[in-house]
Structures are given as structure tokens and as C-alpha cells.
């Protein structure tokens, strides 16, 4: 790229405070040399430049592609992203956000015509056994190249032929540069906090946060990425802590709360109120700002005065609900961008918030901080990575019912050919699953092991399922897996083989429902079940099993059980963000699938009482009940005469559970897995789980189940045992019962 063109492009970026993209396409070495010349010719210091690449080929900072997340929240004047050997959509999303207004994103790419056929390390990751890289398609790249050629603000330079294909200038009319906002005349927070705001939106948001000085208020701040909402929250947290309040901050990860803490520290520092600056920030007024992961924050440790949930949409609603007991609440959420849509924050949580006694205040920030509004590179990134994909608007699917929808199979080619459909499918997945990210868009379009099935109404997506083919692995791979090697993309066979030590688990093949989502406007009408029914019918003669692995809640366990899926495993560690244990369930389709299911269901029932008294001691009793109820087997119950005498005796008083817990546990598992669900009340079942299986202390259990006293809880367990003895006991057991009943 000749120096004059590069200088003109950078000058335009600086003049408008927008970003520009330079694509250097062609041979990698030629591209690198062109990048080197470009950076040399431009007035951009090396210290403000990063190269994101598999190798360290330029004189500036080098960030490995897999660590591109390091750039999140930082800003650079120029970032060079090397797309030759490992083009990761996630890295692209992170890198774009790190370029400052007036800066350049430089992409090193293969020749744009050839790129879709080029295979790299990312594609190798998509080539899940038994597929190989040749099975991976290049649709994501084809679409990506089209966006590079079509969007304004993107220069394309062919480094092989030294030709400037597009100069990337948009020649905008001159605009007034934004001034820093004036602090409000009268503000409740210190003037310095308002002076620290960079846009008028941020000032307004901070003013909204002032309501939190009094208890009984909640603030919801939403914005697109990079509008400074976390920073506004940080300034507010600092002001509250300065007044002596204890502020608990939670976010999907500590990293995501970094900006909030940074602003709080800066402000307290400049006010001279920073007493201690470790993981917890303490103020000279006796206040503090501390962090806890969502599952811990949900218990409101130390009864904080205020809770701030940053990126709240990426935190499960169940955990957010536990925060509502705190007198002051703040939630920030991203409108567009993957974190934003997760788990229907708007749909479900705002209603819950409105039902509380808190006065709810809203703040919206639309002015970007790092670059001007209307920046063409932001618009391009939204489109290229579908950051703004949304489910169909409600009225378009409002009439969807199980009888009126059409079941369709959507191949990568179908999705690539129909942008509307792609947006709706992807938008729905993003909306419902907080972990959906840019890499998933490429997977959807190119991965050979994935299949998309949907229910559509008038061409609009009402429900969608993403299926991943798993298993059917040869003996060598199975042995490797058994020996502990990670075999990518085979989640269920992997768990059954390596954790549960079943070397044959990956012989049969099946489809794991990776994600399923029904449009929020039409949930609970049977669409999700219809979709799973159709999937079952379609694959009945073509696969050995259907399966699923997900963060277990009692509602979801019931949903899957109602659709024929049976529990075979509960994980022994919790997910960091959701705090949920995951469940694996199977729905057998063939004889081989049934074999696999039956041996694991049987084994699950055999071992579950051991696990519940150990790693799963803190599993929610209702999740345990639902997981056991969803296990499709009938556990053995071989109790001897002496066992029954102990159990029946305990049901009436003189016998004691503690002398020999074994038979009680067997009885509980037998009933909770395969017994008549109406025999005991929900609380009685919770007692079986809590006392007999999880060995909780009586005081704790009485408290949890709201019994007036420990002895009342003990009597309730006896009452629960009686019908069980009557139902399952031998003649000897019933004889024992009759002794006491008379
Ligand atoms: C691998 C995975 O994807 S697991 C995660 C599943 N997906 C999600 O959680 C995304 C958000 N949720 C959704 O999109 C939907 O709620 C789905 C896909 C779970 C269910 O789709 P729907 O079309 O509502 O299913 P359908 O109407 O057939 O069955 C609903 C029943 O499932 C149960 N159910 C399952 N999950 C839930 C839930 N989160 N909230 C309420 N009910 C639920 C209920 O029993 C419900 O019956 P009800 O409405 O009479 O109470
Ligand atoms: N008042 C401020 N003072 C200094 N820097 C700020 C301020 N507001 C925002 N920034 C900077 O602008 C960038 C975006 O801010 P922030 O992270 O708060 O925004 P956000 O809306 O939460 O965005 P994201 O969704 O990307 O986290 C950050 O790099 C931050 O350091």
C-alpha cells in the first residue's frame, strides 16, 4: 500500500475519530512486509501497536491468537491481525473492540478469492473425528470476504501484485468534534465523579446511579459494547463506598469487572479516599468494594449494602433473583454483542425486578467512548460476526403452534444463502444461550459434525436445535480416549469413556442436542417438545442415540425427561458462572443405543447415593429429585430381614437411621428413581434426599425445609418411611410395621 494512501486513510480516521480497516491480502510474507512498511510510514508509535498472530514477526507487541482476549478492554492505535494460520472469529471480535477511534485494524489475509478454500488451525478444530479438515467448508470466510468488499471504511490492498483495490475512505462531511460533557450543576455524588465521565450519556447514567444512595432503589443500565456502562457503574460504586457502604460486585468473571474496579480505584485515588487497594478496595470512610463470582454472590455474603451485577445478562436469572434481597441493586447489560442477549434478561428478569419493592431506574448509554457514533468499522463488525442478530420480531412468530409449524433441516449452505434465516437462527441461539459466541457462527456454517433443525412459521424461526454428531469412533481413538486423551467434539462419549471408564461407550454413534431454544414469545406451547419429537423420528433409523448435556435445573430436567431423555450422569463440579452441575441424558434409538443407555442408567442409580453423600452434598434437593426421577431404570432393592427391621423400626421410633444408613439409602434411591411419584409429598422427598442421601445435619435440614424444630423434621422422616416400607417391604417388614400400628 503506498504511503500516501495509507496516510490519507489514517488522517480520515483521526479527523472523524472513527476506525478504518486495511486488508493486506496475498502471500503471508508479502503481507507482513507490506504491514511493516505501512507501520513504518505512519505516525503510529510501536508501543501503541499489537500484532495478533501465531508468530512474532513484527517489531511491536506480539499477542498469540488464542490469547486475543488479553486485548479486551485495552486500546491500541493499530492492531495487526494475522488471519493466515489461525483465523478465529472470537479473536476478530476481541481485536476490533481494542482499536481506538482514529486507529487502524490491519488484517493479513490470504488472497481474498482463494481464502474461502484455504484451511487453517481453526478449521482443524472444526474437523471433529470421524471427520477431517477436508470436510470443513469455507462459508464463514466467503461471507466474511463479501463483507470486506462491500462495507465502507475498509481498504483492500493486494500485496502479491502491489495493487490498491479499494482505498477505504468514506469522505464524510466535516463534523464537529464532541466536547467533554459538563458536570451537572447540582449533583449528589462528588463533582470529581462527574468530571471523570467521558460522554453526556455517561454523566446521565451516573446521575441515575445517585438514587442508590438511599436503600430501596435499583438501577438497570444498558448499552452497546464500549459505551462506558461498566465505568459509570465503577464511578457510582466508588461514590457509595466513599459514603461508607459495602458494595459487592459480581460479573461472569473477575476480568469482566476489571473496568468497574479500575474506574472506582482511580476516582477514590484522586479524591484521596483510597484506604487499601487489594482485591478488595477499601475507603477511608469505612466502605469497601469487593468481588464475588455469581454463585457466591447469590448468597449475599456479609450482607452487603449494595450489589452491582456487571454484564448481568450473562448471569443466570436464578442467581440474579437471589440478589433481590439486597437493599440497593445495580445491573448493567449489553444490548448488542453476545453477552447481552443471554438468558433473556429483559424478558424474564425485568419482570421479576418490577415485582420487588425497589424503585427501578433505567439508564441507556448510546454514545461510544472510544470512537464516534456511526463508526463504519463497528457496523461492519456487527454484520460480519452477526453481533446484532436478533430472533424474529414477536408478531412474526406469534401464531406458531405445534400443529401449524413446519419442521425443516437447515444445512450450512441453506443458512449461508439466506441472511434473514441465518440472523434469526443465530439470533435465537444467542438470545437463549449466554455462551454462544462468534466462533459458533463459523461452526454453524462450516463444521461437518453439526446439523441444524428448526420449526418455522411463514419462513420465520420459532424453535431451533443445534445437533452435534458424536461417537462411532474407531478402536484406536476409543483407546486413546480411555487413556485420557482429549478427543475433540465428542462430549458425551468422552465423559462416558474417560470419566465413567467405559471403553466401548464411543462405539455407537448419536446426536447430542448442543443447544435448543424456542422463541421467547412462544415458549411453553409444546414447540420445543415437537422439535425434539421430529428430531427423534428423523434419526430413529439412522443413529443409535440422542443425548444432551447441560447445566441442570429441575425445570430443564423435567423438560428433557418428558421428551424421553434419561439421566446417566451428574457432573461432580459446578459451572463457575451458573453454579449449576451438569447433567448428561440419553434417549436410545437403536439396540446398541439402548445397551449404552441401560448400562449407564443402571450404574448411575447404583452409584448416585455415594456421589450425593460426597461431591454432590450441596446439590439442590429438587435438582437431585428431578435427576433421579429422570433416570430410566429400576434399581435393585435387595434388603435382608434385618435391614427391613431397622428401616421399619425407624419409621416408628425405636429404630434408628444412624445405626445402618445403607438400607435407608437403597430404599430412597429405589423410590426416587422408579417409585410412584405421588406416594410422598415434595417435602418428604426432599427429606429423603437431604438426610438419607446427602447426610445433611438435622438442624440445617429442618431450617431449609422450614420445619419448626429438628424433632419435627425427624418425625417427618419417620412418616415418610412408613408408606415406603408398606410399598416395598417384605412380609417381615410389614409384620414389624403392624407391631407398632396396633
Ligand atoms: C442443551 C440445551 O440447550 S439445554 C438448555 C435448553 N434451552 C434453554 O434453556 C434456552 C431457553 N429456553 C427455551 O428456549 C425453552 O424454554 C425450551 C427450549 C427449554 C423449551 O421450549 P418450549 O417450546 O417452551 O418447550 P415445550 O413447550 O415443549 O415444553 C415446556 C415445558 O418444559 C418445561 N421447561 C423446561 N425448561 C423450562 C424453563 N426454563 N422454564 C420454564 N419451563 C421449562 C416446563 O415443564 C414447560 O412446561 P410448562 O410450560 O407447562 O410449564
Ligand atoms: N469515564 C471513563 N474514564 C476513563 N475511561 C473510560 C471511561 N468510560 C469508559 N472508559 C473506557 O472506555 C472503554 C469502554 O468502557 P466500559 O468497559 O466501561 O464500557 P462498557 O459499556 O461496559 O463496554 P464493554 O461492554 O465493552 O465492557 C474502556 O476501555 C474504558 O476504560
Amino acid at each position: 500500500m503506498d504511503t500516501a494512501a495509507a496516510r490519507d486513510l489514517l488522517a480520515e480516521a483521526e479527523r472523524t475519530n472513527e476506525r478504518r480497516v486495511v486488508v493486506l491480502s496475498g502471500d503471508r510474507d508479502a503481507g507482513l512486509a507490506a504491514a511493516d512498511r505501512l507501520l513504518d510510514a505512519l505516525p503510529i508509535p510501536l508501543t501503541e501497536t499489537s500484532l495478533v498472530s501465531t508468530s512474532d514477526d513484527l517489531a511491536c507487541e506480539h499477542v498469540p491468537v488464542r490469547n486475543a482476549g488479553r486485548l479486551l478492554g485495552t486500546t491500541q492505535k493499530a492492531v495487526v491481525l494475522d488471519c493466515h494460520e489461525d483465523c478465529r472469529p472470537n479473536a476478530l471480535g476481541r481485536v476490533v473492540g481494542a482499536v481506538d477511534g482514529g486507529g487502524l485494524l490491519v488484517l493479513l489475509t490470504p488472497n481474498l478469492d482463494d481464502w474461502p478454500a484455504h484451511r487453517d488451525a481453526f478449521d482443524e478444530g472444526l474437523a471433529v473425528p470421524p471427520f477431517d479438515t477436508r470436510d470443513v467448508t469455507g462459508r464463514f470466510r466467503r461471507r466474511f470476504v463479501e463483507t470486506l468488499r462491500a462495507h465502507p471504511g475498509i481498504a483492500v490492498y493486494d500485496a502479491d501484485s502491489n495493487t490498491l483495490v479499494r482505498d477505504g475512505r468514506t469522505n464524510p462531511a466535516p463534523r464537529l468534534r464532541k466536547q467533554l460533557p459538563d458536570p451537572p450543576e447540582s449533583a449528589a455524588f462528588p463533582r470529581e465523579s462527574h468530571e471523570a465521565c467521558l460522554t453526556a450519556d455517561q454523566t446521565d447514567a451516573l446521575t441515575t446511579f445517585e438514587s442508590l444512595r438511599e436503600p430501596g432503589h435499583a438501577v438497570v443500565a444498558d448499552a452497546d459494547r464500549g459505551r462506558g456502562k461498566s465505568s459509570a457503574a465503577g464511578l457510582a460504586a466508588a461514590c457509595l463506598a466513599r459514603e461508607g457502604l459495602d458494595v459487592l460486585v459480581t460479573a461472569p468473571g473477575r476480568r469482566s469487572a476489571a473496568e468497574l474496579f479500575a474506574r472506582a480505584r482511580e476516582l477514590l485515588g484522586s479524591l484521596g479516599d483510597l484506604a487499601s487497594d487489594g482485591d478488595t478496595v477499601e475507603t477511608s470512610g469505612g466502605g469497601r468494594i469487593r468481588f464475588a463470582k455469581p454463585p457466591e454472590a447469590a448468597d449475599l455474603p456479609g450482607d452487603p449494602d449494595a450489589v452491582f451485577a456487571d454484564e448481568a445478562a450473562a448471569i443466570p436469572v436464578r442467581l440474579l433473583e437471589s440478589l433481590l434481597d439486597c437493599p440497593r441493586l445495580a445491573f448493567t447489560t449489553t444490548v448488542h454483542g453476545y453477552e447481552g442477549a443471554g438468558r433473556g434478561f429483559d424478558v424474564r428478569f425485568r419482570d421479576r425486578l418490577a415485582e420487588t419493592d425497589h424503585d427501578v431506574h433505567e439508564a441507556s448509554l448510546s454514545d461510544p467512548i472510544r470512537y464516534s457514533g456511526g463508526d463504519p468499522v463497528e457496523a461492519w463488525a456487527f454484520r460480519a460476526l452477526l453481533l446484532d442478530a436478533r430472533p424474529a420480531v414477536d408478531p412474526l412468530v406469534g401464531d406458531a403452534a405445534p400443529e401449524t409449524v413446519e419442521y425443516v433441516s437447515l444445512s450450512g449452505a441453506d443458512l449461508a444463502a439466506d441472511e434473514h434465516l441465518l440472523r434469526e437462527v443465530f439470533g435465537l441461539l444467542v438470545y437463549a444461550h449466554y455462551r454462544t459466541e462468534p466462533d459458533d457462527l463459523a461452526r454453524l456454517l462450516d463444521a461437518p459434525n453439526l446439523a441444524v433443525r428448526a420449526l418455522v412459521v411463514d419462513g420465520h424461526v420459532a424453535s431451533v436445535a443445534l445437533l452435534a454428531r458424536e461417537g462411532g469412533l474407531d478402536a484406536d481413538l476409543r483407546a486413546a480416549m480411555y487413556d485420557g486423551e482429549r478427543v475433540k467434539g465428542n462430549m458425551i462419549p468422552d465423559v462416558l469413556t474417560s470419566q465413567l471408564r467405559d471403553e466401548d461407550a464411543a462405539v455407537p454413534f448419536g446426536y447430542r442436542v448442543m443447544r435448543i431454544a424456542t422463541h421467547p414469545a412462544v415458549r411453553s406451547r409444546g414447540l420445543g417438545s415437537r422439535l425434539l419429537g421430529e428430531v427423534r423420528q428423523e434419526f430413529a433409523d439412522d443413529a443409535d442415540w440422542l443425548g444432551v448435556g447441560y447445566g441442570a435445573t429441575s425445570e430443564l430436567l423435567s423438560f428433557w425427561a418428558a421428551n424421553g431423555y434419561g439421566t446417566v450422569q451428574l457432573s461432580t463440579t459446578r459451572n463457575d458462572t451458573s453454579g449449576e452441575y451438569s447433567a448428561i441424558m440419553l434417549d436410545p434409538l437403536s439396540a446398541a443405543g439402548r445397551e449404552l443407555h441401560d448400562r449407564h442408567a443402571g450404574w448411575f442409580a447404583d452409584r448416585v447415593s455415594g456421589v450425593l453423600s460426597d461431591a454432590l452434598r450441596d446439590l439442590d434437593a429438587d435438582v437431585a429429585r428431578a435427576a433421579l426421577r429422570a433416570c430410566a431404570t429400576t434399581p435393585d432393592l435387595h434388603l435382608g430381614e434385618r435391614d427391613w427391621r431397622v428401616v421399619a423400626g425407624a419409621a416408628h421410633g425405636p429404630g434408628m437411621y444412624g445405626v445402618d444408613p445403607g438400607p435407608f439409602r437403597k430404599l430412597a434411591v429405589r423410590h426416587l428413581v422408579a417409585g410412584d411419584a405421588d406416594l410422598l409429598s415434595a417435602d418428604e422427598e426432599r427429606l429423603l434426599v437431604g438426610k438419607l442421601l446427602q447426610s445433611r445435619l438435622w438442624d440445617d435440614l429442618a431450617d431449609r425445609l422450614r420445619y419448626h424444630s429438628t424433632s419435627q423434621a425427624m418425625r417427618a422422616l419417620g412418616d415418610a418411611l412408613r408408606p415406603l416400607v408398606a410399598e416395598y417391604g417384605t412380609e417381615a417388614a410389614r409384620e414389624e410395621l403392624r407391631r407398632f400400628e396396633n
Side-chain angles (χ1 to χ4, degrees):
M1 189 163 181
D2 69 70
T3 314
R7 280 182 187 278
D8 286 351
L9 191 67
L10 182 68
E12 183 176 283
E14 286 175 338
R15 197 167 58 247
T16 52
N17 192 29
E18 293 173 352
R19 298 158 309 165
R20 294 291 181 264
V21 177
V22 177
V23 180
L24 301 175
S25 73
D27 174 72
R28 181 165 184 271
D29 287 338
L32 273 169
D36 210 10
R37 286 198 304 275
L38 182 93
L39 293 172
D40 239 11
L42 295 177
I44 299 179
L46 277 179
T47 49
E48 288 183 43
T49 307
S50 301
L51 169 67
V52 181
S53 170
T54 43
S55 46
D56 177 7
D57 289 312
L58 293 175
C60 59
E61 180 203 32
H62 169 234
V63 180
V65 178
R66 283 166 192 274
N67 298 350
R70 235 167 63 190
L71 291 175
L72 268 182
T74 66
T75 41
Q76 289 292 67
K77 180 91 176 166
V79 180
V80 183
L81 176 65
D82 174 4
C83 303
H84 281 272
E85 284 169 15
D86 196 4
C87 173
R88 296 189 171 264
N90 277 1
L92 194 75
R94 286 166 186 156
V95 162
V96 180
V99 181
D100 213 352
L104 295 182
L105 170 64
V106 180
L107 298 179
L108 302 183
T109 73
N111 176 296
L112 292 185
D113 291 329
D114 304 339
W115 195 13
H118 178 90
R119 291 292 159 269
D120 66 12
F122 179 71
D123 298 313
E124 274 164 35
L126 298 190
V128 161
F131 298 99
D132 71 36
T133 324
R134 280 167 306 187
D135 300 311
V136 179
T137 56
R139 296 189 189 99
F140 174 80
R141 302 256 170 87
R142 184 163 299 116
R143 185 177 173 281
F144 188 68
V145 167
E146 281 164 17
T147 65
L148 288 174
R149 287 180 165 147
H151 272 256
I154 300 177
V156 178
Y157 178 74
D158 183 332
D160 291 335
S161 63
N162 288 327
T163 330
L164 185 64
V165 184
R166 296 178 73 193
D167 69 13
R169 281 163 52 196
T170 62
N171 304 311
R175 267 174 285 173
L176 277 181
R177 238 198 134 94
K178 273 227 164 70
Q179 303 294 322
L180 279 179
D182 290 327
E185 286 300 318
S186 62
F189 282 158
R191 188 172 172 82
E192 291 82 347
S193 66
H194 284 280
E195 282 169 356
C197 291
L198 297 182
T199 64
D201 280 353
Q202 210 173 35
T203 308
D204 292 346
L206 188 62
T207 307
T208 309
F209 277 113
E210 290 179 347
S211 61
L212 298 183
R213 297 178 69 231
E214 300 299 328
H217 293 269
V219 173
V220 179
D222 63 20
D224 274 343
R225 295 223 65 134
R227 268 57 181 171
K229 60 183 167 358
S230 307
S231 295
L235 296 173
C239 296
L240 296 175
R242 186 172 171 270
E243 293 179 23
L245 299 186
D246 174 17
V247 181
L248 179 69
V249 175
T250 189
R254 193 176 247 286
R255 234 199 120 81
S256 23
E259 291 298 327
L260 188 156
F261 273 94
R263 282 309 84 66
R265 284 194 180 98
E266 286 159 18
L267 178 62
L268 289 168
S270 69
L271 287 167
D273 281 318
L274 191 61
S276 143
D277 184 12
D279 273 356
T280 296
V281 172
E282 292 177 25
T283 65
S284 26
R288 59 176 177 167
I289 311 175
R290 57 201 168 103
F291 180 83
K293 286 182 190 166
E296 292 150 30
D299 293 336
L300 297 176
D303 290 328
D305 300 306
V307 175
F308 277 58
D310 203 15
E311 292 300 359
I315 300 174
V317 168
R318 187 174 56 78
L319 296 180
L320 294 177
E321 280 178 353
S322 331
L323 305 177
L324 296 176
D325 288 336
C326 185
R328 299 173 182 80
L329 299 166
F331 302 93
T332 75
T333 70
T334 306
V335 183
H336 293 122
Y338 298 96
E339 297 81 356
R343 298 241 164 152
F345 179 84
D346 274 347
V347 175
R348 289 196 277 147
F349 189 65
R350 288 214 190 203
D351 287 351
R352 266 303 274 118
L353 188 57
E355 287 164 13
T356 67
D357 293 333
H358 291 82
D359 282 339
V360 181
H361 311 264
E362 313 253 346
S364 262
L365 295 85
S366 54
D367 281 349
I369 299 258
R370 295 184 185 132
Y371 43 82
S372 297
D375 172 83
V377 174
E378 180 174 74
W380 163 75
F382 271 22
R383 163 104 192 284
L385 302 177
L386 284 189
L387 288 166
D388 53 352
R390 291 276 184 98
V393 292
D394 292 2
L396 292 175
V397 293
D399 291 337
E403 314 74 51
T404 58
V405 289
E406 186 191 349
Y407 175 66
V408 291
S409 154
L410 301 173
S411 66
D414 295 332
L415 293 170
D418 185 339
E419 185 78 8
H420 269 293
L421 199 62
L422 179 64
R423 293 184 86 83
E424 284 191 14
V425 164
F426 197 63
L428 187 47
L429 290 173
V430 170
Y431 187 92
H433 292 269
Y434 63 91
R435 262 170 298 185
T436 305
E437 48 189 17
D439 283 357
D440 292 314
L441 176 62
R443 286 200 184 96
L444 207 59
L445 292 171
D446 294 321
N449 63 323
L450 295 192
V452 178
R453 298 292 182 268
L455 297 177
V456 294
V457 54
D458 299 330
H460 295 286
V461 182
S463 197
V464 64
L466 188 55
L467 312 178
R469 186 192 191 284
E470 298 196 339
L473 304 183
D474 63 34
D476 287 349
L477 266 178
R478 294 202 307 272
M481 217 174 199
Y482 189 77
D483 294 340
E485 206 173 283
R486 266 260 319 120
V487 175
K488 55 191 176 201
N490 278 271
M491 193 256 246
I492 291 181
D494 193 3
V495 171
L496 301 186
T497 305
S498 59
Q499 290 181 27
L500 299 177
R501 312 307 298 150
D502 176 0
E503 193 167 352
D504 292 333
V507 175
F509 94 93
Y511 287 91
R512 175 167 66 93
V513 184
M514 261 177 85
R515 311 241 201 275
I516 182 166
T518 294
H519 193 292
V522 292
R523 287 194 187 152
S524 292
R525 293 185 188 176
L527 292 170
S529 304
R530 158 98 200 269
L531 182 54
L532 290 176
E534 292 283 357
V535 167
R536 187 171 214 288
Q537 208 172 334
E538 178 183 341
F539 292 102
D541 298 327
D542 187 36
D544 296 310
W545 50 263
L546 298 172
V548 66
Y550 59 95
T553 61
S554 51
E555 292 88 355
L556 279 177
L557 281 157
S558 315
F559 170 76
W560 288 102
N563 283 292
Y565 290 67
T567 317
V568 294
Q569 158 73 344
L570 279 177
S571 70
T572 50
T573 50
R574 285 179 185 272
N575 174 292
D576 257 6
T577 307
S578 69
E580 285 151 2
Y581 289 101
S582 45
I584 292 186
M585 302 174 93
L586 289 176
D587 175 13
L589 299 174
S590 71
R594 169 135 317 270
E595 256 281 296
L596 181 73
H597 167 272
D598 288 357
R599 68 176 182 265
H600 280 279
W603 192 31
F604 176 74
D606 281 350
R607 63 196 170 84
V608 73
S609 74
V611 189
L612 284 169
S613 66
D614 195 306
L616 295 182
R617 270 187 94 139
D618 62 347
L619 180 70
D620 178 80
D622 286 341
V623 174
R625 287 168 62 217
L628 289 172
R629 187 61 70 199
C631 179
T633 190
T634 304
D636 287 339
L637 184 66
H638 295 307
L639 298 187
E641 215 179 303
R642 196 210 319 249
D643 296 333
W644 278 120
R645 277 206 301 272
V646 173
V647 175
H652 278 278
M656 275 175 8
Y657 147 81
V659 297
D660 187 8
F664 292 83
R665 289 192 179 150
K666 285 191 182 143
L667 180 61
V669 170
R670 168 71 173 78
H671 178 71
L672 292 168
V673 170
D676 173 359
D678 295 327
L679 193 63
L680 300 183
S681 69
D683 266 350
E684 287 174 328
E685 290 196 359
R686 291 180 189 122
L687 268 178
L688 298 193
V689 171
K691 188 68 219 171
L692 302 185
L693 300 179
Q694 293 180 310
S695 314
R696 286 187 191 272
L697 298 175
W698 276 117
D699 285 351
D700 167 40
L701 208 53
D703 199 38
R704 273 170 192 269
L705 296 177
R706 300 202 176 83
Y707 286 104
H708 298 309
S709 63
T710 302
S711 54
Q712 196 198 12
M714 290 166 121
R715 275 198 303 280
L717 180 63
D719 292 346
L721 285 170
R722 255 172 262 159
L724 296 185
V725 176
E727 173 84 10
Y728 302 101
T730 56
E731 187 43 40
R734 282 192 290 273
E735 178 75 47
E736 183 89 7
L737 274 191
R738 279 195 289 274
R739 264 180 95 140
F740 295 105
E741 274 163 4
N742 292 328

